[in-house]
Amino acid sequence: MSHDIGRNAIEIEALRKTYAGRAGQPPKEALKGVDLCIPQGSIFGLLGPNGAGKSTMINILAGLVIKTSGRVKIWGFDQDVNPRQSRAAIGVMPQELNLDPFFTPRGALEVQAGLYGVPKRDRRTDEILELIGLSDKADAYARTLSGGMRRRLLLGKALVHNPQILVLDEPTAGVDIELRQMLWTNVRKLNEERGMTIILTTHYLEEAQEMCDEIAIINHGALIKRDTTKNLLGLMDAKTLVIEPEGGAPEVFDLPDGVKMERRRDGALVFDYSRGQCSANAIFDAVKAAGIIIGDVRTMEPDLEDVFVELTSGK
Ligand SMILES: Nc1ncnc2c1ncn2[C@@H]1O[C@H](COP(=O)(O)OP(=O)(O)OP(=O)(O)O)[C@@H](O)[C@H]1O
Ligand SMILES: [Mg+2]
């Protein structure tokens, strides 16, 4: 998945954005000096709670929002020095639906290609319609498309100039499961077959966990964590073991230090512990010593959601 190891698709330095306060509101510091490099060829997740500043950052990359200060390089081109080249290297699917209701999907893709100066012979309109699953709606007015179809058309528009970097701001919000899977399959294909660098935001953390090589978490306009998905998951050393006893369990019995036990209504025993402090074996021993017969056992691993909550809960 990593083409051209060591080179960055995006380099962001000391990026700040303060929105002017409107109607008597104080100014809003949406980005408070963010440094972030995103390697070429990666699938990179930008995560954070509502209002963290994700869309602000993405819209600055897209040239839709003017930064207050800082430096942004896209595919090696400084946004302020080489605006045309930096713009050509990136395609952005925005969070907000901003489609002209009187364009058909085919029309919208053609106009977008024109805006990016893609010559007619190099346009891939039909291929893109196919990719976003809108071939049969190619000539329907955008206003007659469903919400999910409109989002997919936004993805298509981001692809017309065949950018090296594709940025997706909540591409699957309000999209049904089947289409979501189709979208992710296609995004993966763009990454694997064309080496396209993918940057995405999503509030579905299981998607991020499954899709992303690396993840940055931002909160209140600041970067609070950036690591590989694997390392982030490794941060959590909480474990859960669920034992279903055969024929009941005594009210109280001895447990190793640091283990918390809860009894579920169906009789299952739920043990919470940290890997550093205790082992599953010690729990089995305690359970057997109490005369409990183990009917079934399950373990639960922490997921990205747990990591996210831990890092953003303000602790
Ligand atoms: N045009 C604007 N004018 C004033 N404030 C804005 C503007 N756009 C965003 N903000 C504020 O900047 C902060 C960051 O917003 P942003 O849209 O970047 O967050 P986000 O991380 O994308 O959130 P979400 O997950 O809800 O999409 C928020 O407090 C938001 O209210
Ligand atoms: Mg947003």
Side-chain angles (χ1 to χ4, degrees):
M1 232 178 267
S2 359
H3 311 261
D4 275 331
I5 293 174
R7 299 192 57 197
N8 289 319
I10 302 275
E11 287 176 13
I12 290 171
E13 236 182 88
L15 184 62
R16 289 180 180 275
K17 174 65 188 179
T18 306
Y19 290 106
R22 273 179 303 206
Q25 295 294 309
K28 173 76 202 175
E29 238 190 316
L31 293 175
K32 303 174 181 169
V34 173
D35 298 304
L36 181 63
C37 290
I38 298 177
Q40 287 186 11
S42 61
I43 300 185
F44 194 94
L46 189 59
L47 306 182
N50 287 139
K54 306 178 296 294
S55 293
T56 299
M57 186 188 290
I58 283 172
N59 291 336
I60 290 172
L61 294 177
L64 299 169
V65 166
I66 309 290
K67 62 183 182 275
T68 302
S69 63
R71 226 159 63 105
V72 174
K73 270 185 164 186
I74 300 172
W75 213 251
F77 296 108
D78 189 308
Q79 211 178 29
D80 299 329
V81 182
N82 300 102
R84 235 162 46 91
Q85 289 93 328
S86 69
R87 208 170 83 99
I90 193 168
V92 178
M93 174 187 179
Q95 181 172 13
E96 304 287 332
L97 288 168
N98 58 352
L99 291 170
D100 186 323
F102 295 104
F103 276 111
T104 63
R106 184 187 302 284
L109 293 177
E110 286 290 334
V111 166
Q112 184 82 357
L115 284 175
Y116 274 91
V118 182
K120 281 238 154 57
R121 63 173 183 285
D122 293 338
R123 294 191 187 168
R124 300 169 302 126
T125 306
D126 286 310
E127 184 193 326
I128 292 173
L129 285 166
E130 183 72 38
L131 181 92
I132 58 179
L134 286 182
S135 297
D136 56 336
K137 293 276 181 187
D139 301 308
Y141 283 125
R143 68 185 144 82
T144 69
L145 301 178
S146 73
M149 292 172 186
R150 287 176 205 201
R151 296 207 74 79
R152 283 184 277 150
L153 180 52
L154 288 180
L155 169 64
K157 284 177 71 179
L159 290 169
V160 292
H161 56 299
N162 198 19
Q164 289 96 329
I165 306 166
L166 175 65
V167 183
L168 309 163
D169 196 355
E170 305 215 23
T172 54
V175 173
D176 73 36
I177 293 181
E178 200 177 325
L179 289 179
R180 240 195 251 177
Q181 268 159 2
M182 180 188 108
L183 188 107
W184 289 134
T185 305
N186 286 331
V187 165
R188 242 195 214 114
K189 238 165 69 185
L190 290 169
N191 174 256
E192 281 168 8
E193 291 173 10
R194 297 201 208 165
M196 206 178 268
T197 304
I198 312 284
I199 301 166
L200 62 93
T201 75
T202 175
H203 285 284
Y204 302 106
L205 294 180
E206 71 277 10
E207 284 182 354
Q209 183 172 338
E210 200 186 310
M211 289 292 295
C212 299
D213 312 320
E214 293 186 57
I215 284 172
I217 297 179
I218 65 172
N219 200 9
H220 302 300
L223 186 81
I224 56 171
K225 199 84 195 174
R226 179 213 192 286
D227 212 330
T228 60
T229 309
K230 191 162 167 262
N231 285 347
L232 283 176
L233 292 172
L235 281 180
M236 302 292 291
D237 97 321
K239 293 270 277 181
T240 302
L241 184 69
V242 182
I243 292 179
E244 289 175 20
E246 229 167 64
E251 276 303 310
V252 275
F253 56 93
D254 284 335
L255 280 173
D257 283 345
V259 178
K260 276 196 307 195
M261 186 187 84
E262 267 178 59
R263 238 171 252 271
R264 275 199 337 219
R265 237 187 287 170
D266 63 2
L269 306 173
V270 181
F271 302 90
D272 285 309
Y273 64 103
S274 74
R275 272 182 300 197
Q277 241 190 338
C278 179
S279 70
N281 237 337
I283 295 174
F284 286 134
D285 287 346
V287 165
K288 281 187 227 151
I292 296 168
I293 298 166
I294 298 174
D296 206 352
V297 176
R298 258 175 320 118
T299 61
M300 290 187 277
E301 295 283 337
D303 57 16
L304 193 58
E305 184 124 13
D306 300 312
V307 179
F308 183 82
V309 170
E310 170 99 4
L311 289 172
T312 56
S313 64
K315 268 185 278 173

